[in-house]
Amino acid sequence: MTQVLESQPLPANPPSTDKLAGRVAFVTGGTRGIGAAIAYSLANQGATVAVGYNRDQESAERFVADLLNKTRPHGASASAHRGNVGSCEDCRRTIAEVIETHGRLDILVNNAGITIDKTVAAMTEDDWHGVLAVNLSGAFFLSQAALAHMLERGTGRIVNVSSVVGETGNIGQANYAASKSGLFGLTKTLAKETAYQLARSGKRQEGIGITVNTVTPGLIATEMSADIPEKVMAKLTGQIPVGRAGNPEEVARVVHFLAADASSYITGQTWSVNGGMDM
């Protein structure tokens, strides 16, 4: 199901820049937390933004309306697309919907993710496969569908959102850590394959091309982290060199940087946004 809203000019609220003007971005899990911050950030750089969501249609429609009201003074459009990232059929359908709705797809941000935390001893097959299906397989099937379109046009950006847990592991998160770690290998392989295929096709646009990168957040202040007890949060932040949790907007800045045409010489890389947790 697709919901589309058109914005009206709002001269009092100009975007930060227009470096992504004319670009269309699709952010999965784009209505909350880090995904919402990425959606706002891309819109502030001039992009038309489609957001993916799974359950709450009313909330998604409110988000799109707010996104347009706050960030788009020039009359561009935004949309919300419902689907389960854990379903390969939904991945392909939503990519097709975004392209049909907006005429193109330039930027894919694979942000949607879930956790089902249990120790290895207690983890069931469904716990394992459910998290891998959304966090890793979903990113693969969305990228596969998007790259067919991007390779035909000769340009595109894919940014995967991983986690510091994929680098360090964490007690009770074997499924989540494996899924987020898997994004590192997926990113490098997609980056190499797309560069090779684009060179063979002769459609590579000098200075733009297609890139695939990963952003790896650490402890970020979102709705999920708001449930962490104060004493536990104090212990966690005490282990972070900068001494605090990050803000979703700090992750979003790196994503919109990687999405820009001027970042065409960066591909297959992992960008940590974690306050130094992995030092």
Side-chain angles (χ1 to χ4, degrees):
M1 182 179 296
T2 307
Q3 299 294 328
V4 183
L5 297 174
E6 298 294 328
S7 68
Q8 297 298 321
L10 298 171
N13 184 30
S16 299
T17 74
D18 285 325
K19 67 182 178 183
L20 294 179
R23 299 293 189 255
V24 175
F26 182 34
V27 183
T28 66
T31 63
R32 300 172 58 191
I34 292 173
I38 292 170
Y40 279 112
S41 185
L42 293 173
N44 264 325
Q45 304 305 309
T48 289
V49 178
V51 293
Y53 71 101
N54 188 22
R55 293 187 179 90
D56 192 342
Q57 179 180 337
E58 184 178 346
S59 177
E61 291 176 355
R62 286 198 305 268
F63 177 84
V64 169
D66 188 63
L67 176 72
L68 294 171
N69 287 335
K70 288 182 177 178
T71 65
R72 300 316 308 267
H74 299 311
S77 64
S79 59
H81 303 263
R82 187 173 189 171
N84 174 14
V85 175
S87 161
C88 58
E89 290 83 4
D90 277 13
C91 290
R92 294 170 181 139
R93 174 183 55 78
T94 52
I95 292 292
E97 281 184 4
V98 172
I99 295 170
E100 181 180 2
T101 300
H102 300 290
R104 58 191 290 166
L105 176 60
D106 302 278
I107 302 159
L108 170 64
V109 182
N110 287 313
N111 169 74
I114 62 170
T115 59
I116 304 175
D117 295 350
K118 294 180 184 177
T119 62
V120 171
M123 191 170 292
T124 68
E125 292 180 11
D126 287 344
D127 297 334
W128 174 264
H129 290 300
V131 170
L132 268 291
V134 174
N135 297 3
L136 182 56
S137 297
F140 170 79
F141 288 115
L142 285 158
S143 297
Q144 184 183 51
L147 281 171
H149 173 74
M150 292 176 179
L151 285 166
E152 180 65 27
R153 295 178 56 246
T155 64
R157 298 284 184 267
I158 295 178
V159 182
N160 297 315
V161 180
S162 181
S163 167
V164 68
V165 173
E167 299 174 307
T168 64
N170 196 31
I171 293 173
Q173 291 192 308
N175 49 4
Y176 183 76
S179 68
K180 292 301 188 179
S181 181
L183 288 174
F184 302 144
L186 177 63
T187 294
K188 290 184 179 296
T189 299
L190 290 177
K192 287 184 176 181
E193 285 193 7
T194 54
Y196 173 74
Q197 291 170 355
L198 201 57
R200 287 194 63 187
S201 71
K203 294 181 179 180
R204 180 168 56 196
Q205 294 192 29
E206 198 68 31
I208 302 177
I210 300 174
T211 66
V212 186
N213 291 286
T214 293
V215 173
T216 305
L219 179 62
I220 304 298
T222 64
E223 293 177 12
M224 293 177 64
S225 63
D227 293 331
I228 298 175
E230 186 176 343
K231 288 185 178 180
V232 176
M233 180 62 78
K235 182 178 180 181
L236 290 172
T237 54
Q239 297 170 348
I240 301 173
V242 301
R244 64 173 177 85
N247 296 313
E249 291 76 17
E250 293 176 299
V251 180
R253 290 189 192 102
V254 179
V255 174
H256 84 233
F257 166 76
L258 292 171
D261 289 354
S263 296
S264 63
Y265 202 55
I266 304 168
T267 193
Q269 302 304 307
T270 299
W271 290 67
S272 296
V273 187
N274 60 30
M277 290 176 70
D278 59 350
M279 289 196 296

